[in-house]
Amino acid sequence: MTQDEMKKAVAEAALEYVQSGWVVGVGTGSTANHFIDALARIKTRIDGAVASSEASAERLRGHGIQVLDLNSTGPLPVYVDGADEATSNLHLTKGGGGALTREKIVAAASEQFICVIDETKQVDYLGAFPLPVEVIPMARSHVARALVAMGGSPVLREGFRTDNGNLILDVHDLRILNPVELESDIDHVAGVVTNGLFARRPADVMLVGTPGGVTRIVP
Ligand code: 5RP
């Protein structure tokens, strides 16, 4: 089974967490794209979706699924999204696709966060995947120096702007033993919009695609 087949299987399994009449929070990336394609099959039963990126909004609209503004929906019952790394505590690194800020907003506004990954994303400690940090452009150097002081090696994501018009620093060389603390510490640097650690608000359920099928992890 290929990695993409595992992503597709796990994304389809997440449909089980969607009920009729709901507005569904939708993430970003290749696994989330499989979820959007699966959601299209039940589109007449849902009331619409809130997207965590322009790319996901476009894909949803392409399937004829109504995309709603989070300001008009109120809290969402469920958010489904992938991750770049995940621990058994359901702490995540996200933002490989650069959508971390909107992803964190939709996750925060959702009662249940269902994280859908293939087994290659499972780790004992976060940090092998470079941690994305969204930064206001004028603060790029200031934030980079602060990240170096925290033990990281930030690298500017060349030629990339987020949907919010900001930059991404990808921070290498972190072995993240306390993701809750590091998430807060990075967010407190002036000029940081968000970082890709999802530890203060971890996933509620993790579905993992493996060659033997989809397994479910809860904290
Ligand atoms: C985008 C994300 C994605 O969830 C993450 O990058 C995983 O992507 P994929 O499903 O393509 O492996 O955080 O900002």
Side-chain angles (χ1 to χ4, degrees), residues 118-146:
D118 66 84
E119 63 177 6
T120 66
K121 309 288 185 67
Q122 287 185 293
V123 293
D124 291 331
Y125 298 98
L126 302 175
F129 188 92
L131 176 66
V133 179
E134 180 165 352
V135 178
I136 300 285
M138 75 167 285
R140 184 192 70 213
S141 299
H142 168 71
V143 173
R145 285 191 292 274

Side-chain angles (χ1 to χ4, degrees), residues 137-212:
M138 75 167 285
R140 184 192 70 213
S141 299
H142 168 71
V143 173
R145 285 191 292 274
L147 292 168
V148 168
M150 291 179 194
S153 307
V155 176
L156 179 67
R157 200 177 290 186
E158 290 288 347
F160 185 84
R161 288 273 174 166
T162 69
D163 285 346
N164 313 307
N166 297 315
L167 303 173
I168 297 280
L169 294 172
D170 290 304
V171 190
H172 297 249
D173 302 331
L174 292 172
R175 189 163 187 266
I176 303 170
L177 300 178
N178 188 337
V180 173
E181 189 176 270
L182 187 64
E183 183 179 358
S184 292
D185 288 350
I186 295 176
D187 276 355
H188 281 103
V189 178
V192 169
V193 180
T194 332
N195 72 82
L197 288 171
F198 283 56
R200 282 179 296 177
R201 197 272 182 261
D204 299 302
V205 176
M206 195 155 72
L207 300 178
V208 185
T210 76

